Amino acid sequence: MRAAVLYSTVPAGTSYGKAQPLVVQELSRPEPRAGEVGVTIAYSSLCHSDLSVVDGSRVRPLPMALGHEAVGRVASVGEGVTDVSVGDHVVLVFVPSCGSCRACRAGRPALCHRAAEVNGSGDLLHGEALLRTPEGERINHHLGVSAFADYAVVARESVVVIDDDVPDTIAAMFGCAVLTGMGAVLNTAAVQPGQSVAVFGLGAVGLSAVMAAALAGASAVIAIDPNTSKHGLALKCGATAVGTPDDAARLIAEAAGDGVDTAIEAVGSARVIASCLEHVTRGGAVVSVGLPHPTAELTVPALQFAGAGKRLLGSYMGDAVPNRDIPLYLGYWREGRLPVELLHTDTRPLAEINEGLDALAAGQVVRRLFQA
Ligand SMILES: [Zn+2]
Ligand SMILES: [Zn+2]
């Protein structure tokens, strides 16, 4: 099998096309163990959190085969897997929820304790890492998926079976971008018809949040990004107003008076989270979706919580229940209510993955898909 492996981090600001931090190489092809499935990857897509692993701001054990958003077909099933069959069309999910920990029992599989543990160590839910170089060196799995590859062995819990006829180029984006952005609006904030929403950061997750806010019937959807090339796309996704951070206060005042009901922070910046708290009305909620640097600290006026009823909510993987939400969101796409195709910028061979990192860092692409 072939996969893209990160051996050492390369700081942000470097030309990844020159530095080639991801090495596309042959690995020994593992077979699924009990509770696992082998998946032939059709497309994987490059997400900002892959970039954060490459530049070291999201610390992961190396070497690691990266990639966590993908679609494919089941190629083989391990012992005890009875509800997934060879040939099934599957979206990969980056939290292999165990079903029995405290979070899973509470109906919050995105926060699975066991998944957080194995994702942190680069192992799989049902056993230690399987990936090896031909020389026998262990390669860690990225979030139980490692999808920048032509093949992956993953836990049964890392796949959601979808309809056969959904195009791969659409389905590829549901496992991270769509699930995270949609879930932040529909699950975490539970936006209601007629409410106002502002979305800060118009990457694939932010644009998915814009689509979700429009779908939920928000009366105003204000989309903010310093990169003005994202603004037209946000309008197509359902934004009612677009602007740069300098425009945010004016646009919000025009559309929502003293603040929006919900502000979605999809940048991963403590400073932007703090500004979002100023942009929500009394009783409003800020949803923190982007992943700030682990050393970043947040300083905000403390009175606005008890004094104005404001809420600051964290949302990991959109508080999703993937088995419920991926088919639900695909249904919205099928009904023409969720124009996910707008997120797909282009498709390239896996050999060009490092150049893809540069394009993503520069904000030139929303979702670039890769084919091994
Ligand atoms: Zn992602
Ligand atoms: Zn669990």
Side-chain angles (χ1 to χ4, degrees), residues 45-351:
S45 59
L46 183 57
C47 168
H48 211 278
S49 44
D50 298 308
L51 191 57
S52 301
V53 177
V54 172
D55 72 21
S57 54
R58 191 86 175 136
V59 179
R60 297 286 178 194
L62 303 181
M64 175 173 274
L66 290 196
H68 63 279
E69 185 179 275
V71 65
R73 296 267 171 187
V74 173
S76 51
V77 299
E79 194 190 318
V81 176
T82 54
D83 58 346
V84 174
S85 311
V86 170
D88 279 356
H89 199 198
V90 290
V91 167
L92 285 97
V93 174
F94 64 87
V95 177
S97 49
C98 74
S100 56
C101 73
R102 183 172 166 182
C104 286
R105 281 187 279 113
R108 304 191 71 187
L111 301 180
C112 174
H113 295 242
R114 181 79 190 118
E117 217 172 277
V118 294
N119 281 355
S121 63
D123 292 301
L124 295 178
L125 183 63
H126 301 297
E128 69 163 274
L130 278 173
L131 296 173
R132 297 286 183 276
T133 65
E135 295 74 37
E137 185 187 2
R138 171 186 158 128
I139 305 293
N140 291 302
H141 296 250
H142 187 203
L143 304 176
V145 175
S146 292
F148 295 149
D150 55 4
Y151 171 79
V153 170
V154 303
R156 159 65 187 95
E157 292 81 355
S158 296
V159 301
V160 171
V161 178
I162 61 166
D163 289 341
D164 253 333
D165 64 337
V166 181
D168 282 331
T169 54
I170 293 294
M173 299 176 288
F174 276 72
C176 177
V178 175
L179 201 57
T180 302
M182 295 275 293
V185 170
L186 302 181
N187 295 330
T188 311
V191 168
Q192 299 300 305
Q195 291 188 333
S196 51
V197 177
V199 177
F200 290 79
L202 302 176
V205 168
L207 289 168
S208 296
V210 168
M211 288 191 241
L215 184 93
S219 57
V221 183
I222 300 135
I224 302 295
D225 197 294
N227 182 347
T228 55
S229 74
K230 302 285 180 72
H231 293 171
L233 199 51
L235 289 169
K236 287 185 192 165
C237 289
T240 57
V242 291
T244 65
D246 288 341
D247 304 322
R250 177 181 55 81
L251 293 175
I252 287 170
E254 283 169 12
D258 74 341
V260 288
D261 295 297
T262 300
I264 305 288
E265 201 278 355
V267 178
S269 154
R271 188 179 47 75
V272 178
I273 295 171
S275 79
C276 283
L277 276 161
E278 290 170 19
H279 288 311
V280 295
T281 187
R282 296 170 66 78
V286 175
V287 182
S288 167
V289 181
L291 292 165
H293 192 275
T295 60
E297 294 192 351
L298 179 66
T299 305
V300 294
L303 181 61
Q304 53 192 331
F305 300 111
K310 294 186 182 182
R311 291 164 297 141
L312 175 55
L313 309 170
S315 181
Y316 188 64
M317 198 172 71
D319 276 323
V321 180
N323 279 318
R324 176 194 69 191
D325 294 342
I326 290 177
L328 178 68
Y329 300 166
L330 278 167
Y332 294 145
W333 169 78
R334 206 181 276 283
E335 292 164 8
R337 301 164 69 194
L338 193 67
V340 170
E341 55 278 359
L342 294 172
L343 305 179
H344 176 206
T345 309
D346 54 20
T347 303
R348 295 289 167 84
L350 186 60

